Amino acid sequence: MNTTQRQLQQNLLRTLWLGFFQVFLVFMPIAVPYFQSKGLSMADVFTLQAFFGLVVLITEVPSGYVADIFGRKATLVIGAAIAGVGHSLLLVADGFWGLAMFELALGVAHSLISGADIAILYDTELAMGRGEQAQRQIVGRLYGFRTVSESIAAFLCTLLLLHSMDLVIWVQAAAGWIPLVLALLLVEPPGERLKSDDHLGNMTEICQALLTRSRLLRLIVLALCIWSLTTFYAVWLLQKIWESHGIELVHFGYLWGGLTVVAALAGRYAHVAEDKLGTTGLLLFIGISPAVGYLGLELFGMVGGYIASVTFMISRGFGLVVLRDALNKRIPSEYRATANSLTSFGFRGAFMLTGPLVGYYLDLWGMTATLYLLAAATLVIFVMLVLPLLLAVRGLPTNGEADRAAASADAAEAGAAEEACAPGR
């Protein structure tokens, strides 16, 4: 193995570890009680998350575009530095606006890292000449690293809470700087970059490629933007539900840790599940299971509700990995970071519009009505979006040939090869 190959091999591990520490959120299992201890209501909590979504909405696409023009490493270094500052703000943040500054920094950092991390992984694999199977596992490995990180952080939170909540925040602030160290050690992989002389033309071409040239690709993009909401709301409701059941705060860490272990395993074996169930079977599962989870949270009590919440993690692990991989296999390297950022842009925009409404509905009508509402909304999303996607892929092979067949179908539907979709050509 020559020097370049060794550097690229290290790139893979360092980027995966960067993803690990990016989401090493020790305070996440107690985020809602912590925010409430700073004077926030549940409506404020959801509004704060919507503000985070607004920040991401504004900065997501420009940051991905910057990564496609100026390189992935520089973008990751800047994003990791801002993340370190953001986590340090937790030490002094108080009240809604203090925590809003924390969310602002994390939103900008998330935007810079999101898209660039997946792009550098795919570009590194391509530069190393890895086979399609290795490339197919990239999203699953990154998702696995991230969710294992969340699990370890959650269990650590439980141990730290034996001392105090303040210790949790201090550890969070310190861990927030580790991604910067890893980002500085990365090398920029070789690959095509967007031309920087026609920004409007580039963005027009990218949006057309994602939304108008292939029905299947358009449905994948929309699913990443909208379907992801069906499991995301559960993340911010579970802690409130545990609280309502009288579960003490010290137990939140391992409860959340257990769920993230399930999510990590689901992401790691998402493509195995796709091969076993078939793409249509997997889409059917991820489309309906969140509705089952919301109903289970209401109907089955504390223990049954916790078991029901596992469905969110399995569905999220399967869906995000398979859909994200399907997207990246259908787009060229030139605008991979921008394309991934656009899907995050759509997801955050959808949450920004609906998150505060869910929070206000919860404060006004209570948890039971909110869970039934979210179950109904999940089924609507299944009928309007996931079912058309399921029908679009029906009849395609369900083994490793599925991606190649789907990509060929996309190219035929678009009426051009993938290179014809690249901006500036």
Side-chain angles (χ1 to χ4, degrees):
M1 182 181 293
N2 59 36
T3 302
T4 301
Q5 289 290 310
R6 282 196 299 271
Q7 289 177 329
L8 291 173
Q9 182 65 48
Q10 291 172 344
N11 240 29
L12 293 174
L13 289 175
R14 286 167 179 168
T15 305
L16 290 171
W17 281 110
L18 190 155
F20 179 96
F21 284 106
Q22 180 200 358
V23 296
F24 191 71
L25 302 177
V26 182
F27 89 109
M28 185 63 185
I30 60 166
V32 172
Y34 176 74
F35 288 160
Q36 289 178 323
S37 74
K38 298 297 181 178
L40 275 64
S41 67
M42 279 305 295
D44 290 333
V45 171
F46 275 93
T47 300
L48 203 59
Q49 294 312 302
F51 173 68
F52 174 87
L54 176 61
V55 173
V56 173
L57 193 71
I58 295 171
T59 59
E60 183 77 68
V61 176
S63 63
Y65 187 71
V66 165
D68 281 330
I69 292 180
F70 297 108
R72 286 70 161 103
K73 177 181 176 177
T75 307
L76 289 170
V77 167
I78 296 171
I82 296 174
V85 172
H87 284 108
S88 295
L89 287 175
L90 273 179
L91 298 174
V92 297
D94 191 25
F96 181 87
W97 292 109
L99 291 168
M101 294 302 296
F102 158 73
E103 296 286 0
L104 172 64
L106 259 62
V108 174
H110 173 87
S111 297
L112 288 164
I113 295 173
S114 171
D117 53 357
I118 293 179
I120 201 171
L121 283 171
Y122 267 88
D123 288 353
T124 299
E125 288 281 14
L126 289 171
M128 294 179 67
R130 296 286 188 90
E132 182 178 328
Q133 186 62 28
Q135 296 172 26
R136 190 180 184 219
Q137 296 173 352
I138 279 295
V139 178
R141 291 180 67 189
L142 181 59
Y143 184 86
F145 264 68
R146 285 175 172 170
T147 48
V148 167
S149 170
E150 293 173 352
S151 178
I152 294 174
F155 287 119
L156 178 59
C157 177
T158 296
L159 296 177
L160 296 173
L161 282 172
L162 296 175
H163 184 274
S164 70
M165 184 184 289
D166 288 341
L167 183 59
V168 175
I169 303 304
W170 276 100
V171 171
Q172 183 65 70
W177 290 100
I178 297 176
L180 177 59
V181 177
L182 293 164
L184 289 169
L185 295 174
L186 295 173
V187 296
E188 185 73 22
E192 295 289 336
R193 295 290 177 266
L194 289 175
K195 302 296 187 294
S196 59
D197 56 349
D198 185 10
H199 302 304
L200 180 60
N202 284 343
M203 289 304 302
T204 300
E205 284 286 333
I206 294 170
C207 291
Q208 287 179 345
L210 293 177
L211 298 176
T212 66
R213 293 179 178 172
S214 165
R215 179 172 179 266
L216 182 56
L217 183 57
R218 180 171 64 252
L219 288 170
I220 291 169
V221 170
L222 292 175
L224 284 167
C225 294
I226 299 173
W227 167 82
S228 301
L229 290 173
T230 62
T231 59
F232 188 71
Y233 284 122
V235 172
W236 293 99
L237 291 175
L238 287 176
Q239 294 172 22
K240 192 67 177 177
I241 291 172
W242 297 342
E243 201 175 57
S244 69
H245 284 303
I247 298 175
E248 295 181 8
L249 192 63
V250 70
H251 300 301
F252 281 24
Y254 65 78
L255 289 175
W256 181 251
L259 293 176
T260 54
V261 167
V262 172
L265 291 173
R268 177 66 179 83
Y269 295 103
H271 285 299
V272 175
E274 184 184 19
D275 291 340
K276 297 293 184 180
L277 299 174
T279 304
T280 55
L282 185 137
L283 288 173
L284 186 66
F285 175 81
I286 68 171
I288 294 177
S289 59
V292 175
Y294 285 119
L295 293 175
L297 287 175
E298 170 58 26
L299 299 175
F300 299 150
M302 183 176 68
V303 176
Y306 184 79
I307 295 173
S309 64
V310 169
T311 61
F312 296 113
M313 301 305 173
I314 298 175
S315 177
R316 191 167 183 80
F318 285 173
L320 289 181
V321 168
V322 170
L323 290 171
R324 185 71 66 181
D325 183 60
L327 169 70
N328 281 277
K329 285 188 175 299
R330 289 168 172 80
I331 53 177
S333 178
E334 289 93 324
Y335 58 81
R336 179 167 285 124
T338 305
N340 281 281
S341 291
L342 279 168
T343 60
S344 295
F345 170 87
F347 165 71
R348 294 297 174 181
F351 182 78
M352 183 192 72
L353 293 174
T354 59
L357 296 177
V358 173
Y360 284 120
Y361 192 90
L362 176 61
D363 286 339
L364 185 62
W365 296 104
M367 185 63 72
T368 297
T370 301
L371 292 175
Y372 283 131
L373 172 69
L374 290 173
T378 297
L379 294 177
V380 171
I381 291 173
F382 170 73
V383 173
M384 300 297 293
L385 180 59
V386 180
L387 187 58
L389 177 59
L390 185 154
L391 295 175
V393 301
R394 178 173 290 178
L396 292 178
T398 57
N399 55 22
E401 298 294 319
D403 289 321
R404 290 190 291 274
S408 298
D410 283 348
E413 187 177 347
E418 187 176 72
E419 286 77 11
C421 296
R425 295 187 177 182

